[in-house]
Amino acid sequence: MKTIQSATYPVHFNDKAYSKLSNFIATQNYSSVFVLVDDNTMDCCYPRFMQNFVCNLPLEVIQIDAGEVFKNIETCVGVWNAMTELGADRKSLLITLGGGVITDLGGFVAATFKRGIDFINIPTTLLSMVDASVGGKTGIDLGVLKNQIGVFANPEMVLIDPEYLHTLSAREIRSGTAEIIKYGLTHDINLFNKIKDNNNLNIVDLIHRSIEIKNEVVLKDPKEKNLRKVLNFGHTIGHGIESYFLENPEKENLTHGEAITIGMVCESFISSKLLGFSAEKVEEIKHTVLSIYGKIEILPDDFEPIISLLKHDKKNVGGNVNFVLLKDYEDFQLNCEASTDTIVKSLNYYLT
Ligand code: GLY
């Protein structure tokens, strides 16, 4: 599988990626290596990583609790303290081994520790392989508000080892599939069709194509001045729903992918109202999403607090809710605004 070159770092695939990693470290002047894991990846992924990783430097493992609720500043303080106690210096390397929480939080910890040390991402979930580990966004949540604190910082390398996917539940795989659907709708409808038809699904090919698309976008607009906003298709409403479910313990526990598929259905509906996106295509998207993810229960009483959370979205400027909408498959428009009434209609559309 061909290496993808981003601005300053390569994304290597499969087993050969480990020799690239070991060779890279051998050519650098690192003093020590720290591996950041969570409870799950310590058990399920770290043994495979150590079987494949060749390195003569001192190596320490730092383990954090697994879960989005730990993607916060307290966890960062714990990791910074652990690194300090274990003697990390400015020539230490941090390897993040985990899902989006580990790669986002680990990147942020590295980018801020002693004003910045190198880090390498080894995503172990489909979601982090196709999204979080690539593109230089690092960060943590602020309360229930997702990714509110962070910096842009590129890893030195990203290593994609699809073997780690065997450690995931079907639900976690579906969560990552949502981001692949997003790339399909905005950039390459073949990706969407393959998932819709459940046909000829080669997961490594889907990951490779998804990263290629993300990389093309990020190379053109690394700091999300404009074009990169397209990667947030489905995420404006999706993040509102995700945050709302996270802060209400009586609500079921939603994955990121489940939330953003609802967002993609709603934002496709809004696209049809505001930009004339085909109603048949909106139906096709809704049907595909419901067939894979089922219908998540959202009550009419939930609408108002969800919409109020949308207003905290980082893409908003001046209090208006900012959307990426579809004019057609593979054709989008950035910086669209929708009224509260249209957003409510889109939630009702999802539910009917
Ligand atoms: N997850 C969206 C981005 O990286 O821009």
Side-chain angles (χ1 to χ4, degrees):
M1 184 69 46
K2 207 162 171 269
T3 294
I4 295 174
Q5 184 60 43
S6 195
T8 56
Y9 59 96
V11 183
H12 294 302
F13 288 79
N14 298 335
D15 288 348
K16 79 159 195 257
Y18 290 100
S19 52
K20 298 276 186 193
L21 173 66
S22 302
N23 291 344
F24 171 77
I25 291 177
T27 64
Q28 304 296 305
N29 195 19
Y30 292 128
S31 56
S32 53
V33 176
F34 288 78
V35 185
L36 184 66
V37 293
D38 66 23
D39 308 335
N40 295 330
T41 59
M42 183 66 194
D43 287 347
C44 301
C45 304
Y46 184 70
R48 173 172 170 80
F49 169 71
M50 285 309 286
Q51 264 167 18
N52 287 282
F53 182 52
V54 180
C55 173
N56 295 323
L57 296 170
L59 184 143
E60 300 282 357
V61 184
I62 299 176
Q63 183 173 338
I64 63 172
D65 294 322
E68 181 77 28
V69 288
F70 299 105
K71 190 179 173 182
N72 56 35
I73 195 71
E74 286 77 26
T75 305
C76 293
V77 171
V79 181
W80 286 318
N81 278 331
M83 290 175 74
T84 304
E85 281 155 23
L86 293 166
D89 60 29
R90 296 189 76 178
K91 291 303 294 175
S92 297
L93 170 74
L94 182 70
I95 296 178
T96 65
L97 181 69
V101 174
I102 287 283
T103 56
D104 280 8
L105 182 145
F108 179 66
V109 162
T112 47
F113 185 75
K114 296 186 190 283
R115 298 207 175 87
I117 62 168
D118 285 357
F119 65 100
I120 285 175
N121 287 336
I122 308 186
T124 59
T125 63
L126 182 58
L127 187 59
S128 60
M129 288 182 193
V130 296
D131 187 16
S133 67
V134 179
K137 282 187 180 176
T138 74
I140 53 173
D141 300 340
L142 182 65
V144 294
L145 300 175
K146 287 180 56 74
N147 303 326
Q148 291 287 299
I149 309 297
V151 294
F152 286 100
N154 281 327
E156 298 304 304
M157 179 186 294
V158 178
L159 187 159
I160 304 287
D161 178 0
E163 281 298 310
Y164 292 124
L165 298 176
H166 297 305
T167 66
L168 303 179
S169 66
R171 193 172 179 212
E172 283 172 301
I173 295 285
R174 284 197 296 273
S175 183
T177 304
E179 295 288 350
I180 304 176
I181 292 175
K182 174 193 79 180
Y183 296 121
L185 295 177
T186 57
H187 285 86
D188 183 352
I189 200 62
N190 288 325
L191 281 176
F192 175 69
N193 286 337
K194 280 186 182 158
I195 290 166
K196 172 172 66 83
D197 302 337
N198 195 11
N199 178 19
N200 204 7
L201 285 184
N202 177 328
I203 193 71
V204 189
D205 286 348
L206 296 180
I207 295 168
H208 193 270
R209 181 71 189 119
S210 296
I211 295 177
E212 252 177 9
I213 292 169
K214 176 157 187 182
N215 191 42
E216 275 164 27
V217 172
V218 169
L219 283 175
K220 289 185 187 141
D221 180 18
K223 295 262 174 93
E224 199 170 305
K225 301 270 186 252
N226 211 31
L227 177 67
R228 187 169 177 166
K229 291 178 191 170
V230 67
L231 300 178
N232 295 314
F233 175 64
H235 286 61
T236 304
I237 292 180
H239 273 166
I241 292 171
E242 193 176 6
S243 297
Y244 179 68
F245 275 62
L246 198 61
E247 74 180 357
N248 285 282
E250 75 279 7
K251 289 280 177 198
E252 64 186 289
N253 171 6
L254 275 195
T255 64
H256 175 72
E258 285 161 352
I260 66 153
T261 54
I262 304 172
M264 285 193 280
V265 172
C266 293
E267 293 176 24
S268 300
F269 174 88
I270 297 173
S271 301
S272 72
K273 297 294 158 208
L274 300 191
L275 300 183
F277 179 52
S278 141
E280 288 78 46
K281 289 178 180 170
V282 183
E283 271 294 301
E284 184 177 41
I285 294 167
K286 178 174 161 182
H287 181 263
T288 303
V289 162
L290 293 185
S291 70
I292 301 174
Y293 298 87
K295 190 175 284 180
I296 312 292
E297 188 182 64
I298 303 175
L299 303 174
D301 280 353
D302 300 331
F303 291 4
E304 198 275 316
I306 289 171
I307 291 169
S308 136
L309 280 164
L310 301 190
K311 307 208 161 136
H312 293 285
D313 193 284
K314 293 185 297 308
K315 296 178 296 304
N316 298 336
V317 181
N320 293 320
V321 181
N322 192 309
F323 288 96
V324 177
L325 298 179
L326 296 176
K327 292 191 269 182
D328 200 349
Y329 287 152
E330 304 179 0
D331 189 10
F332 51 84
Q333 186 163 314
L334 306 171
N335 304 317
C336 303
E337 285 175 22
S339 66
T340 300
D341 182 49
T342 310
I343 300 171
V344 167
K345 284 194 175 108
S346 77
L347 288 163
N348 276 319
Y349 171 74
Y350 169 77
L351 289 171
T352 51

